[in-house]
Amino acid sequence: MSCPMCERRGIAGEAALTEEERKNGVRIALAGNPNCGKTTAFNAWTGAHQHVGNYPGVTVEKKEGWTSCGEQKVLLVDLPGTYSLTPYSMEERVVRDVLAPENAAERPRAVIDVIDSATLERGLFLAVQIRELGQGVVLACNMMDEARRAGMTIDLDKLSERFGVKAVPTVARSGEGLDKALALALEEAAKPSEPLIISYGPDVDPALLRMTKIIEEKKLLTSRYPARWTALKLLEGDEVLRAQMESADREAARELDEVRRALASHLASTLETTPDAVISDYRYGFINSALRGGVVRKSSTKDRLAFTDKLDKVLTNTILGPVIMLGVVYFMFWTTFIVGAYPQGWVEDFFGWLGELMTGVLPEGLVQSLVVDGIIGGVGGVLSFVPLILIMFLIVAFLEDSGYMARMAYMLDRVMRAFGLHGSSVMPFIIAGGIAGGCAIPGVMATRTMRSEKERMATMMTLPLMTCGAKIPVFLMLTAAFFADNQAGIMFAITLCGWAVALLVSLFLRKTVFRGASTPFVMELPPYRLPTLRSILTHTWERGWMYIKKAGTVILAISVILWAALTFPALTEEQAAPFEAKIAALDAQITPLDEQIDALKAQLEGADATDAMRDMLASLTQQKEALENTKLDEENALASETVRNTWGGRIGQFVEPLFRPLGFDWRTDVALISGVAAKEAILSTMGTAYSIGETDPDEPDSLSARLAADPGWSKTVALSLMLFVLIYSPCFVTLVVLKNEAGGWRWLFFSMAFNTAVAYLVAWAGTLVGRVLWG
Amino acid sequence: MPQMNLRQLAPGREASIVKITAHGELGRRIRDMGLVPGMSVQVVGRAPLRDPVALRIEGSTIALRNSEADYVDVEVK
């Protein structure tokens, strides 16, 4: 990016930037309301030179990117979209910590505040607060094209003059004005900046002065925040700052509390109001006086929101709204799981091919088994989800950026609220398998868009209870074996059961673990816009890459551990000997039979074939087949014994008494344990443990026939297993993603233990019902 | 001019905000969105289950739950 403004920067400016900053780059922060086009501007400035991560301890995305203005390198920090600098949400806390960091060296030199020109007041409300914090601000009055089309003009010179802040008209989509905004921000960066001081009226101002004096005298937090700003925040009842003050100087904190309490009770008795209400009223008052007298001119005939209003009449209509929403959700699923199945298949094929290749290259034995079954099998399983995640997030990003997602939350909030959740919880639930066949991994990742913390956690913890695609084969196998006459009905009931349990459990969680009043819903329904391809692709790729990177590394370790658990210890030669002896004996019988059959066949081809010979051949073939079947049984018995002997098998036997009340034996228990690795593994492990060889999840017929004939199994056990599989511990990839999104290992363990406990209870209740129904 | 709370405001009628009676986080969020005394407001729609309610204020659409709209006093123009 070239810019003429740089050359005009004076000597004063050069003196203000340090040598290091001029060489390595100046840090400039990018702030603004949600939906103001900030991210589009950020992408336009930084292009591909972006780095996306997380702020430590929270799941707010940290986006930084490099750009330059003339020779000067600039590190842009894209802050999460906020309306204010209160400490109520994680986003707001992050914005504050970036603008006024503990380490003064990380403090941005200036802030570019992106404002949607149509909602100038609200945008300026944030700008005032940033200026009060002492940061130099440049206003990027964005979406100027839309404003112009709606017949709106803003006298930016007048606004700049009255507001004391430089303002530039911008259109982030086309890049208009961005160079200039950056250049102005660099000018701002090179100057010292004094915090903005505005009057808060006859009641608040004296209190503010007294507090400021105390803070300045004792130098409380003054290296980080301007004294007056600290006083303001304390008056607003800012708990985070109050705690910081408490740990800085307990006595002073009490003294400051006293001032605040006096003001609060005075305001309550005289004006029936609170300090924070008065402060916000005066802030808006300051903004309104700056905008007075023709700064903003509008033609009354054109309404920028006319198109949005028309669309909303249809899309949020009492009847059409829900119908269209169902259609949108259905389309999303269809695209993701039907179309996504192709690339998913390619990834699976690739790993299958790689596995075969390695089988050929590596000598048979433990190393081959580790590489092929453990590493390639495990990592391939994880990566095969990547196409699904990318497609799903492509659609989710489109729905989000277009403004439709906010409408979904708006339409369904009433239902979700009854269970202590938020309208925005619906999408993650649906993605996770609210419509059978979803996947909890993108579901958990989709909770990112939720801004209410308690609701978000409850959503995240309960969405793995949905009928994800990997659980379906288990249900299919069991219904085929025990409920063959009503398979579809049972599958539907299971999906409904997932919803019911998830909603009830989240209600329970919101009354216990995530207790507390519901977060205010108050949200903007942004105008409908056609999203830019670039922002959608960036969004999608960021999420996909995070999944590949984080889940990939941990999963590698987990796959190896699970492989080891189901491989070691191997049977000793003594243990295996009886089986191998039987197999060898059978082989000894089969080989001569084979020779006899071959000889007979050769004779039959000759001229003197007799009926006797044909009969002989048929009977020999029959004998051979019987022997081969016995041999297969023995081989399967060996495999079963091998599994039983491994650590995994031993654990299965160890926990068997615990799961007896549900009707599961050790084989089912091992399968459930391996199901924690991936739900797909349940069937294949059951197949091995029930000694019917490897079971193909797509064709579980043999296993289902085996179970139907097993005296230990019944409709009741099948029901209890289906309920258990539906609810118990999420698979490991989900758990890892959950750990990242919820912010801590304890949530991983919580989810494992809590869900399994719920599953146990529900499955047990299921056995009681089953006994009543089927005896 | 009749005063009422926002929940009772009929769709399409223009009104002006008189007072926000919510405290703490809710009060803060309502004000952050630009719902402050003096602003003119209009109900533009309701969700299919009659709750939340969609409001038009200066240049944007804001959704509020009915229980939250109770904290906003308005005066019909």
Side-chain angles (χ1 to χ4, degrees):
Chain A
M1 248 180 235
S2 72
C3 80
M5 305 299 284
C6 291
E7 283 104 63
R8 277 202 263 139
R9 260 180 47 214
I11 298 156
E14 281 181 27
L17 288 183
T18 63
E19 186 64 35
E20 203 240 327
E21 277 176 321
R22 264 185 290 140
K23 215 171 82 194
N24 296 332
V26 181
R27 187 188 293 256
I28 288 180
L30 199 55
N33 292 165
N35 310 308
C36 68
K38 186 166 58 65
T39 304
T40 313
F42 177 73
N43 288 340
W45 265 312
T46 58
H49 308 285
Q50 293 185 12
H51 174 78
V52 183
N54 265 6
Y55 287 101
V58 292
T59 50
V60 179
E61 255 171 30
K62 177 182 189 156
K63 289 173 91 175
E64 292 180 340
W66 289 99
T67 184
S68 57
C69 182
E71 293 289 292
Q72 178 64 56
K73 278 208 284 185
V74 176
L75 178 64
L76 272 182
V77 185
D78 186 19
L79 295 171
T82 55
Y83 295 104
S84 173
L85 295 185
T86 48
Y88 289 119
S89 73
M90 289 188 305
E91 284 85 0
E92 288 166 347
R93 256 172 275 170
V94 161
V95 172
R96 227 158 83 170
D97 288 345
V98 171
L99 292 180
E102 251 185 301
N103 176 3
E106 288 171 10
R107 189 178 158 99
R109 280 300 200 128
V111 178
I112 299 178
D113 185 358
V114 184
I115 285 180
D116 177 355
S117 299
T119 56
L120 210 53
E121 278 110 329
R122 204 171 60 197
L124 290 175
F125 188 67
L126 179 65
V128 169
Q129 297 181 55
I130 299 174
R131 283 288 299 117
E132 286 184 310
L133 192 53
Q135 288 283 4
V137 169
V138 172
L139 297 178
C141 293
N142 198 27
M143 306 201 178
M144 257 332 210
D145 51 341
E146 278 185 27
R148 280 179 210 133
R149 268 201 300 276
M152 184 175 171
T153 53
I154 303 174
D155 188 342
L156 286 180
D157 292 336
K158 217 181 244 175
L159 178 68
S160 296
E161 185 191 317
R162 293 207 190 143
F163 208 75
V165 157
K166 297 231 170 63
V168 188
T170 60
V171 179
R173 282 183 185 219
S174 67
E176 179 191 327
L178 293 183
D179 286 354
K180 193 172 171 205
L182 190 64
L184 285 175
L186 276 175
E187 266 183 36
E188 207 58 54
K191 300 196 291 223
S193 164
E194 283 297 311
L196 173 72
I197 291 178
I198 59 181
S199 163
Y200 286 100
D203 292 311
V204 175
D205 272 347
L208 208 49
L209 266 177
R210 270 173 55 206
M211 291 171 81
T212 311
K213 211 170 138 226
I214 298 172
I215 295 167
E216 274 173 349
E217 267 171 13
K218 303 202 171 165
K219 296 209 174 352
L220 301 166
L221 309 174
T222 41
S223 59
R224 195 168 171 191
Y225 312 114
R228 189 180 163 89
W229 188 84
T230 309
L232 258 176
K233 284 290 140 188
L234 290 174
L235 282 181
E236 284 178 318
D238 189 315
E239 294 292 336
V240 173
L241 207 71
R242 171 72 184 64
Q244 285 175 4
M245 189 54 84
E246 177 91 27
S247 59
D249 185 339
R250 184 171 293 221
E251 203 183 310
R254 298 268 153 78
E255 208 177 325
L256 293 166
D257 277 349
E258 206 38 63
V259 182
R260 179 188 135 75
R261 215 170 295 135
L263 175 69
S265 70
H266 171 72
L267 287 176
S269 61
T270 56
L271 300 165
E272 289 178 37
T273 183
T274 53
D276 63 324
V278 174
I279 289 170
S280 116
D281 286 353
Y282 271 90
R283 258 185 210 137
Y284 273 109
F286 173 78
I287 292 162
N288 283 327
S289 65
L291 292 180
R292 210 166 290 150
V295 170
V296 182
R297 278 209 193 87
K298 271 177 233 172
S299 99
S300 55
T301 51
K302 289 182 196 160
D303 183 1
R304 185 183 76 121
L305 294 172
F307 172 68
T308 293
D309 281 350
K310 265 185 215 153
L311 259 183
D312 266 337
K313 284 255 165 4
V314 180
L315 293 180
T316 65
N317 177 284
T318 308
I319 296 153
L320 280 178
V323 172
I324 293 171
M325 185 160 58
L326 272 179
V328 168
V329 169
Y330 182 81
F331 169 78
M332 185 173 91
F333 260 80
W334 185 85
T335 318
T336 308
F337 291 102
I338 306 294
V339 178
Y342 295 100
Q344 188 179 25
W346 300 332
V347 176
E348 277 168 356
D349 288 348
F350 170 75
F351 280 100
W353 169 83
L354 194 66
E356 271 170 35
L357 183 78
M358 293 316 268
T359 312
V361 171
L362 294 169
E364 203 177 319
L366 277 180
V367 177
Q368 187 202 68
S369 166
L370 171 67
V371 171
V372 176
D373 300 332
I375 297 175
I376 297 181
V379 174
V382 172
L383 290 183
S384 69
F385 282 109
V386 170
L388 292 193
I389 287 190
L390 290 182
I391 295 176
M392 180 94 75
F393 274 120
L394 203 65
I395 302 172
V396 168
F398 179 87
L399 292 177
E400 243 180 295
D401 289 2
S402 66
Y404 187 72
M405 197 77 103
R407 269 74 182 183
M408 286 183 74
Y410 165 71
M411 284 192 274
L412 285 163
D413 179 66
R414 186 68 198 83
V415 182
M416 300 314 275
R417 196 197 323 161
F419 300 97
L421 298 171
H422 187 278
S424 325
S425 310
V426 170
M427 201 54 170
F429 270 122
I430 292 174
I431 294 174
I435 296 175
C439 176
I441 301 152
V444 172
M445 292 167 84
T447 60
R448 283 213 158 181
T449 52
M450 295 184 66
R451 291 182 159 255
S452 24
E453 198 41 34
K454 290 187 285 261
E455 285 87 342
R456 177 170 181 263
M457 290 298 284
T459 309
M460 220 181 319
M461 290 299 152
T462 52
L463 59 80
L465 309 194
M466 295 287 160
T467 325
C468 80
K471 295 174 189 167
I472 289 180
V474 181
F475 300 150
L476 282 178
M477 185 276 289
L478 289 170
T479 48
F482 297 98
F483 306 97
D485 43 343
N486 195 9
Q487 243 184 315
I490 296 283
M491 289 299 289
F492 184 63
I494 284 279
T495 307
L496 284 189
C497 186
W499 272 100
V501 178
L503 291 178
L504 289 175
V505 168
S506 54
L507 185 62
F508 169 78
L509 287 177
R510 285 284 281 114
K511 295 227 181 283
T512 53
V513 187
F514 310 117
R515 191 174 31 227
S518 60
T519 316
F521 179 75
V522 197
M523 62 185 268
E524 189 184 0
L525 300 180
Y528 289 107
R529 290 195 182 98
L530 196 63
T532 58
L533 188 63
R534 176 178 195 157
S535 85
I536 290 185
L537 290 179
T538 321
H539 231 79
T540 307
W541 174 242
E542 277 163 10
R543 285 173 174 169
W545 179 237
M546 226 166 214
Y547 170 79
I548 297 171
K549 217 169 38 179
K550 287 199 174 160
T553 44
V554 181
I555 283 308
L556 180 64
I558 299 294
S559 336
V560 172
I561 292 171
L562 264 158
W563 168 83
L566 289 173
T567 305
F568 297 111
L571 286 181
T572 58
E573 264 172 50
E574 272 165 48
Q575 286 167 313
F579 296 96
E580 273 160 7
K582 278 185 202 162
I583 293 169
L586 286 164
D587 269 337
Q589 285 176 277
I590 291 169
T591 324
L593 267 177
D594 257 344
E595 281 163 14
Q596 272 181 287
I597 289 170
D598 286 345
L600 264 174
K601 274 185 184 161
Q603 282 184 345
L604 274 169
E605 269 165 31
D608 49 348
T610 63
D611 282 344
M613 283 163 77
R614 280 195 196 96
D615 290 344
M616 178 85 162
L617 177 64
S619 104
L620 282 178
T621 316
Q622 225 171 7
Q623 275 183 42
K624 185 191 152 195
E625 270 170 16
L627 283 172
E628 271 178 344
N629 278 337
T630 322
K631 184 185 158 195
L632 197 62
D633 284 347
E634 284 303 325
E635 279 170 351
N636 285 335
L638 176 62
S640 171
E641 185 59 28
T642 310
V643 174
R644 204 172 76 91
N645 188 56
T646 61
W647 292 114
R650 288 178 197 191
I651 294 169
Q653 290 163 75
F654 180 73
V655 298
E656 193 177 35
L658 188 64
F659 288 96
R660 259 287 138 213
L662 304 182
F664 308 160
D665 64 3
W666 72 268
R667 300 175 181 88
T668 313
D669 298 339
V670 183
L672 289 172
I673 291 168
S674 70
V676 176
K679 297 283 151 92
E680 289 90 341
I682 296 178
L683 277 191
S684 56
T685 314
M686 266 179 108
T688 313
Y690 272 101
S691 56
I692 50 150
E694 282 274 311
T695 299
D696 183 349
D698 296 328
E699 280 178 44
D701 290 349
S702 48
L703 180 59
S704 112
R706 167 77 173 78
L707 294 186
D710 192 311
W713 280 80
S714 63
K715 281 188 175 183
T716 308
V717 178
L719 175 71
S720 122
L721 181 60
M722 284 197 280
L723 290 171
F724 196 83
V725 168
L726 179 70
I727 302 166
Y728 89 117
S729 171
C731 69
F732 237 101
V733 192
T734 306
L735 285 169
V736 170
V737 177
L738 202 72
K739 178 221 128 206
N740 291 334
E741 295 295 315
W745 283 97
R746 66 203 164 113
W747 295 117
L748 184 153
F749 295 116
F750 175 82
S751 177
M752 266 178 104
F754 179 75
N755 288 15
T756 307
V758 174
Y760 193 94
L761 278 178
V762 175
W764 184 68
T767 59
L768 295 187
V769 173
R771 270 186 219 138
V772 173
L773 286 178
W774 304 301
Chain B
M1 282 183 284
Q3 259 198 33
M4 57 176 77
N5 78 44
L6 190 56
R7 190 204 278 252
Q8 294 148 341
L9 186 67
R13 290 293 291 275
E14 280 235 359
S16 146
I17 297 176
V18 180
K19 196 170 167 66
I20 309 290
T21 53
H23 299 304
E25 184 177 0
L26 177 60
R28 197 55 213 252
R29 292 216 178 272
I30 291 178
R31 291 189 190 94
D32 283 354
M33 285 300 210
L35 288 165
V36 283
M39 265 290 191
S40 86
V41 59
Q42 196 186 347
V43 173
V44 288
R46 279 183 193 278
L49 294 166
R50 305 289 111 202
D51 186 15
V53 53
L55 307 173
R56 165 63 34 78
I57 60 158
E58 189 61 52
S60 65
T61 315
I62 308 287
L64 277 185
R65 286 178 181 158
N66 284 339
S67 58
E68 293 162 356
D70 282 342
Y71 292 102
V72 182
D73 291 342
V74 296
E75 192 175 69
V76 177
K77 281 183 183 168

